[in-house]
Amino acid sequence: MAKMMIREATIGDKIPILKFCQNTFSWGDYIEQVWDFWLSEGNLFVFEKQFPVGICHAFYFKDQIWIEGIRIDPDHRRQKIASKLVMHAEIVGKAKNASFSYMLIDIQNSSSLKMAHSLDYEIFQTWNFFSLLPKHNLNHKIQFEKSLNLKRYNHYVKSWRWLPLDDSTLSKFYDEKKIIKSTSLENDSIAILADSEHFTKTLIVTLFSGSENSVLELISFLQNYAMEKKYERIQILTQEYLPTFDTLEHKISFYLMKKCLV
């Protein structure tokens, strides 16, 4: 019987693992672009059966685990390898006093949802990913936010990880003018801006939509801001479904899965 084990990834794992990380999505996969970053961060776990057949990366931040990049060789699926990798990431997290674990799953990925539910993850929120192209657009009116309610805005997206907001992080964002607000007679819309750590010239936006009018103001600003700052792409993550807008395209919807570890 082949020896099975979970271990940390090494430089030599890259080529064999990328062979089964080619066509994960209709457009391909992103593992090749993030591999070196994840390897340097550590906690890139490999499931090995004489050779690598599965991977999972875990990012530990404060009291939470962010689980990402679960990939299993198609020839070795339906053997609970993904579950074993996630459980290993949780064990490491508990040793670091993690209280919660999160992961994103495409709402149409029934097999991954089944796996997550079997490990006691629950659907916490639903999020939508929109792409937006940079473009000169002066048709907007916004202001830089100086005070957010942490009870209402408690997470933001950084490099496709949902991270908790706290007073220290907010203070930094205020100083850097990374929190944008558009006010309307209905409800305000808020956007938190962050640079992607894994993809060059990519602006990641966590958007909280309050009304159609205010969110359209924010989108117009984001288009122009990205153009002036020479970003090549804008990635917007929001719980709402956004109104029609020039070059705004809905890409995919995800469930944000959550598990309490204590």
Side-chain angles (χ1 to χ4, degrees):
M1 180 179 292
K3 181 180 179 181
M4 295 182 287
M5 63 180 294
I6 296 176
R7 59 171 175 78
E8 285 268 355
T10 66
I11 294 175
D13 291 321
K14 184 175 183 178
I15 292 176
I17 286 174
L18 290 184
K19 288 181 180 179
F20 61 83
C21 298
Q22 299 293 323
N23 302 302
T24 307
F25 307 100
S26 60
W27 45 266
D29 205 333
Y30 60 84
I31 299 298
E32 183 173 8
Q33 282 72 46
V34 300
W35 175 271
D36 292 340
F37 294 99
W38 288 356
L39 190 66
S40 64
E41 284 181 338
N43 302 304
L44 179 53
F45 304 122
V46 172
F47 193 97
E48 186 173 65
K49 283 181 162 185
Q50 294 184 320
F51 53 88
V53 296
I55 60 165
C56 168
H57 185 245
F59 179 74
Y60 301 98
F61 184 78
K62 295 187 176 179
D63 70 337
Q64 73 176 48
I65 309 171
W66 184 259
I67 293 176
E68 58 194 357
I70 301 172
R71 300 289 185 273
I72 308 299
D73 186 326
D75 294 334
H76 295 269
R77 289 177 182 167
R78 293 177 291 280
Q79 299 175 24
K80 297 189 179 299
I81 292 174
S83 298
K84 292 172 183 176
L85 284 165
V86 172
M87 288 189 288
H88 178 80
E90 291 175 357
I91 291 170
V92 174
K94 288 177 182 178
K96 298 176 182 289
N97 297 315
S99 299
F100 301 96
S101 182
Y102 295 88
M103 66 175 79
L104 273 188
I105 297 179
D106 180 344
I107 63 172
Q108 297 182 340
N109 191 337
S110 58
S111 59
S112 291
L113 282 170
K114 183 178 179 181
M115 179 274 295
H117 285 309
S118 73
L119 297 176
D120 297 324
Y121 283 80
E122 297 181 350
I123 297 174
F124 178 54
Q125 295 170 342
T126 301
W127 285 76
N128 298 296
F129 166 37
F130 290 83
S131 65
L132 178 70
L133 295 179
K135 186 177 180 180
H136 288 300
N137 188 339
L138 301 178
N139 185 29
H140 54 77
K141 184 178 180 181
I142 62 94
Q143 61 192 75
F144 296 104
E145 181 59 70
K146 291 292 186 181
S147 178
L148 275 189
N149 183 346
L150 277 173
K151 291 183 179 180
R152 182 176 180 185
Y153 307 101
N154 51 32
H155 277 74
Y156 75 105
V157 182
K158 181 180 181 182
S159 293
W160 282 79
R161 295 162 177 165
W162 271 240
L163 302 181
L165 282 168
D166 55 27
D167 289 329
S168 176
T169 304
L170 283 179
S171 179
K172 181 174 180 289
F173 287 166
Y174 297 149
D175 291 342
E176 295 175 351
K177 296 184 175 180
K178 293 293 187 181
I179 304 181
I180 316 302
K181 179 170 77 173
S182 176
T183 302
S184 74
L185 294 175
E186 300 149 302
N187 288 301
D188 299 342
S189 290
I190 298 287
I192 302 176
L193 314 184
D195 288 331
S196 172
E197 295 178 336
H198 301 144
F199 302 98
T200 60
K201 298 182 179 180
T202 299
L203 177 66
I204 297 182
V205 180
T206 314
L207 193 152
F208 302 93
S209 174
S211 69
E212 181 170 321
N213 288 334
S214 59
V215 82
L216 288 174
E217 293 274 359
L218 280 186
I219 294 172
S220 297
F221 169 82
L222 292 169
Q223 246 189 354
N224 195 68
Y225 176 87
M227 191 72 179
E228 290 183 347
K229 299 295 184 180
K230 302 186 185 308
Y231 288 99
E232 293 180 353
R233 61 192 65 84
I234 307 165
Q235 297 180 340
I236 299 176
L237 287 307
T238 178
Q239 287 184 259
E240 293 74 30
Y241 203 91
L242 302 179
T244 302
F245 190 87
D246 181 35
T247 77
L248 183 69
E249 181 181 356
H250 179 260
K251 292 292 190 179
I252 197 168
S253 297
F254 297 94
Y255 289 131
L256 178 60
M257 311 296 293
K258 180 180 180 180
K259 178 180 180 178
C260 181
L261 300 174
V262 293

